[in-house]
Amino acid sequence: MSTDTDTATSSAAAPGADDTALGEPATPPRGPVTSASYSITVRLTADGDPASIGRIATAVGSAGGAVTAIDVVDSRSDGLTVDVTCSAADAAHSAEMVDALRAVQGVSVRKVSDRTFLLHLGGKLEVAPKVPLKTRDDLSMAYTPGVARVCLALADNPEDVRRLTIKGNTVAVVTDGSAVLGLGDIGPGAAMPVMEGKAVLFKRFADIDAWPICLATQDVDEIVRTVELLAPGFGGINLEDIAAPRCFEIERRLRERLDIPVFHDDQHGTAIVALAALRNALRVVGKRLEDVRIVVAGGGAAGTAIVHLMLEAGARHVLVWDREGILSPDDERLTPAKLDLAGRTNPGCVRGELPDALDGADVFIGVSAGNVLAVEDLTRMAEQAVVFPMANPTPEVDPVRARQHAAVVASGRSDLPNQINNVLAFPGVFRGLLDARAREISDGMLLAAAEAIAAVVKDDQLNANYIIPSVFDPAVTQAVAAAVADQARAEPGATATVSDDDGVTS
């Protein structure tokens, strides 16, 4: 799951920078506000009437769009060529704005470019050298013959590979394309923009070199073996957008076989940030994690991980709802993974639907599907309720209307307060793991990360509209990295042993 800035739009292939497609095969319900992710630049010509520019801006506004820039490309005595940049709520809305511009008297639309597609042209990553190659001396040290000395030293001291190669700062972002964002099973090629985006976030927020590995298989054995073969070149594995329950088996087997940390962001990243937000939300309403009744909608990868981490943190009263209803250990319809989840959360074998689970509940956390809950159902919750509808692209219940019935509301949306976003967790988690040369990742490290994120929000900052820090707060990655690294070093056998020397001689 990416609750997240780490998002990408699904669309028909863009024909090029000069004429980019606006249509999408499946457009979600229009959002309440415009967004840069649906921004376009329209090149048009306008006649010499001085009022033309005003009519252009008015046309965009009348169509519900927002003009962010009007740039003059060419000026002549008989008129102007201008680029109008504006944002929309969705792809269909973009097309409506273009139609409105075409209807303006004295204006001719020449081309339309989708700025999101323009940003993705050629991909979002590149490889750049960290050392100069300007002289023969440079070449002889970076490559042959000098590189042979380093290779021989590493053959004698394999533990130094992390220190003398990119392995010490490199993460593989691995997917099979089976559960990409809210788009479903779209395949490895279509998943590439998301994995590239993930790698960009690693670099931007934690200075980690990450690379997208999109596999053309959904066979568990093949995925595990492929990652196992690739692992020597990486210091960590970030599993991404792999459907449940397959993701559980892949993660389990890779953790058993590899001597580097394996982290499934849709599970562990979501769980870390959700727990951090919940801790601060409970501070706002004056309740304790051990005492509150929690309902989780969604028994897949994210829901399972959230429940696990909350139980590890001390939660004692949790019910999980999915398409089968409230998950109960006596329900023979459940998969083994859901049966295990039910056994850990519902020993009393409570049955019912999602509104039934909410009776007297203090907390609702949604990682399921859009609009599965009516706003009115929130009235069944306890006073000072906490509501986190986090499904993307459409939350389980309208977060804006939920504020009528809940004391604290958070979601995955960037246009509302309290965005629960995985980018708060995974860059710092991997920064800490790599810095500590961790061999694995433990529940203790996940809990440390959640505590660190929550602690970034100080007592004098905390309120119902600010329970989680901004993804652009530099203190977040630093705090998470330090907490994870400290916890890794404190756990016996969790980190690798390396030489203390600055150089290795052979």
Side-chain angles (χ1 to χ4, degrees), residues 56-75:
I56 289 168
T58 299
V60 173
S62 66
V67 175
T68 57
I70 298 179
D71 299 300
V72 176
V73 177
D74 187 33
S75 176

Side-chain angles (χ1 to χ4, degrees), residues 47 49-62 100-101 104-107:
D47 59 24
D49 185 347
S52 293
I53 297 298
R55 289 199 296 268
I56 289 168
T58 299
V60 173
S62 66
L101 289 170
V104 176
Q105 182 181 0
V107 168

Side-chain angles (χ1 to χ4, degrees), residues 14 43 91 216 232 260 298 332 435 446 487:
R43 177 161 294 184
I260 56 176
E332 297 178 353
D435 289 348
L446 302 181
Q487 181 65 29

Side-chain angles (χ1 to χ4, degrees), residues 19 46 65 87 89 262 267 286 337 379 432:
D19 185 14
S87 58
V262 177
Q267 293 185 69
T379 61

Side-chain angles (χ1 to χ4, degrees), residues 5 204-206 280 419 421 423-425 427-428 452-458 460-461 466-481:
T5 56
R204 163 63 177 81
F205 290 104
N280 282 347
Q419 185 191 17
N421 192 325
V423 77
L424 286 164
I453 294 171
V456 171
V457 180
K458 306 303 181 187
D460 60 350
Q461 298 175 307
Y466 191 71
I467 61 170
I468 201 80
S470 164
V471 297
F472 294 105
D473 186 337
V476 175
T477 297
Q478 296 170 10
V480 173

Side-chain angles (χ1 to χ4, degrees), residues 276-288 386 408 453-462 467:
L278 179 57
R279 283 202 175 279
N280 282 347
L282 294 178
R283 287 168 60 196
V284 170
V285 299
K287 298 181 181 182
R288 301 193 315 158
V386 173
V408 181
I453 294 171
V456 171
V457 180
K458 306 303 181 187
D459 288 341
D460 60 350
Q461 298 175 307
L462 183 68
I467 61 170

